[in-house]
Amino acid sequence: IIATDMGATFLPLGTVNRINGGISNRCFTKDEWSTQIQNLLYDEDGNPLEKQMNLTINTSFNNTNNVLTIETNLSFINNVPENQNLCVLIIEDGIIAPQKDGLEYVENYEHNHIYRCAVNSTYGQNINDFETFVGLNGESGYQATHTLIFNENANSNWTSSWNNINNCYVIAYVYDTETMVIQHTVKHPISIND
């Protein structure tokens, strides 16, 4: 859904924080990614841009019943912008499978950042849906807690071959619902409790 919404008509194409431009709506070719990333990280004088928010993830995975609890904390350093959604999803790294790489066929290619499932829907939830708090420095904060069960009944993306939770990560990102531009992203490993 997101690839279509962003204008991906062929691969390899990718968005860079969903900013406008590129070859197709918000999609850039792989040769353009590094330039666009530099523009998001540094100003025209080469100085790092200041961070506008803090985003942290804590996880707890119960290995007995395959239940993952995710706590996401978000606080804004300056004013709280309107129209912000938090999106939480699961990815997996280290999947070994065949892959065509240009003209070469690689039998044991390592695939990383493979989408497994959305925790709180494809486009997430408005941050105003979550509990609020005031941080130590007076910043406005939000805390979201989500629970995910890893089995075929609760998650249609679960398969018996998807059993390496140690290679799975939680990704949380905040984006502006009017512009669709991603403001901040974090990746956190899943912690396993026995």
Side-chain angles (χ1 to χ4, degrees):
I1 293 173
I2 292 176
T4 301
D5 290 349
M6 295 301 119
T9 55
F10 63 90
L11 296 175
L13 281 180
T15 65
V16 179
N17 281 16
R18 297 183 185 157
I19 60 174
N20 284 319
I23 193 168
S24 176
N25 190 14
R26 298 171 189 267
C27 294
F28 296 87
T29 63
K30 62 182 179 66
D31 296 332
E32 298 173 298
W33 295 343
S34 62
T35 300
Q36 297 305 320
I37 291 168
Q38 286 292 109
N39 293 340
L40 291 172
L41 295 176
Y42 301 97
D43 66 18
E44 59 274 359
D45 297 323
N47 299 313
L49 296 173
E50 291 185 26
K51 183 166 63 166
Q52 299 300 311
M53 67 184 71
N54 293 309
L55 186 59
T56 61
I57 301 170
N58 295 305
T59 62
S60 177
F61 183 73
N62 184 313
N63 202 31
T64 304
N65 57 12
N66 289 338
V67 174
L68 173 65
T69 303
I70 304 164
E71 181 185 277
T72 310
N73 293 293
L74 165 66
S75 61
F76 291 91
I77 294 168
N78 297 308
N79 295 329
V80 179
E82 293 184 15
N83 307 312
Q84 300 292 303
N85 271 19
L86 170 69
C87 192
V88 182
L89 52 98
I90 306 295
I91 65 166
E92 185 174 353
D93 286 350
I95 299 171
I96 306 301
Q99 171 72 34
K100 186 174 181 183
D101 188 7
L103 298 176
E104 182 183 357
Y105 181 79
V106 181
E107 183 70 31
N108 294 314
Y109 188 88
E110 181 175 326
H111 300 263
N112 291 309
H113 308 109
I114 304 301
Y115 170 84
R116 284 304 194 179
C117 68
V119 174
N120 64 339
S121 82
T122 302
Y123 283 104
Q125 297 164 274
N126 189 281
I127 61 170
N128 291 315
D129 293 345
F130 306 125
E131 292 183 35
T132 60
F133 66 87
V134 176
L136 296 175
N137 297 320
E139 72 273 13
S140 298
Y142 298 85
Q143 183 178 74
T145 302
H146 296 94
T147 302
L148 182 66
I149 301 171
F150 289 98
N151 66 36
E152 292 176 5
N153 294 330
N155 187 325
S156 62
N157 292 311
W158 176 269
T159 65
S160 59
S161 64
W162 180 23
N163 58 10
N164 193 353
I165 297 298
N166 290 317
N167 281 6
C168 291
Y169 295 83
V170 176
I171 301 288
Y173 62 90
V174 175
Y175 71 95
D176 184 305
T177 58
E178 289 184 2
T179 65
M180 299 300 286
V181 173
I182 295 174
Q183 309 296 318
H184 195 59
T185 305
V186 292
K187 175 182 178 182
H188 185 79
I190 295 176
S191 302
I192 296 179
N193 302 331
D194 291 324

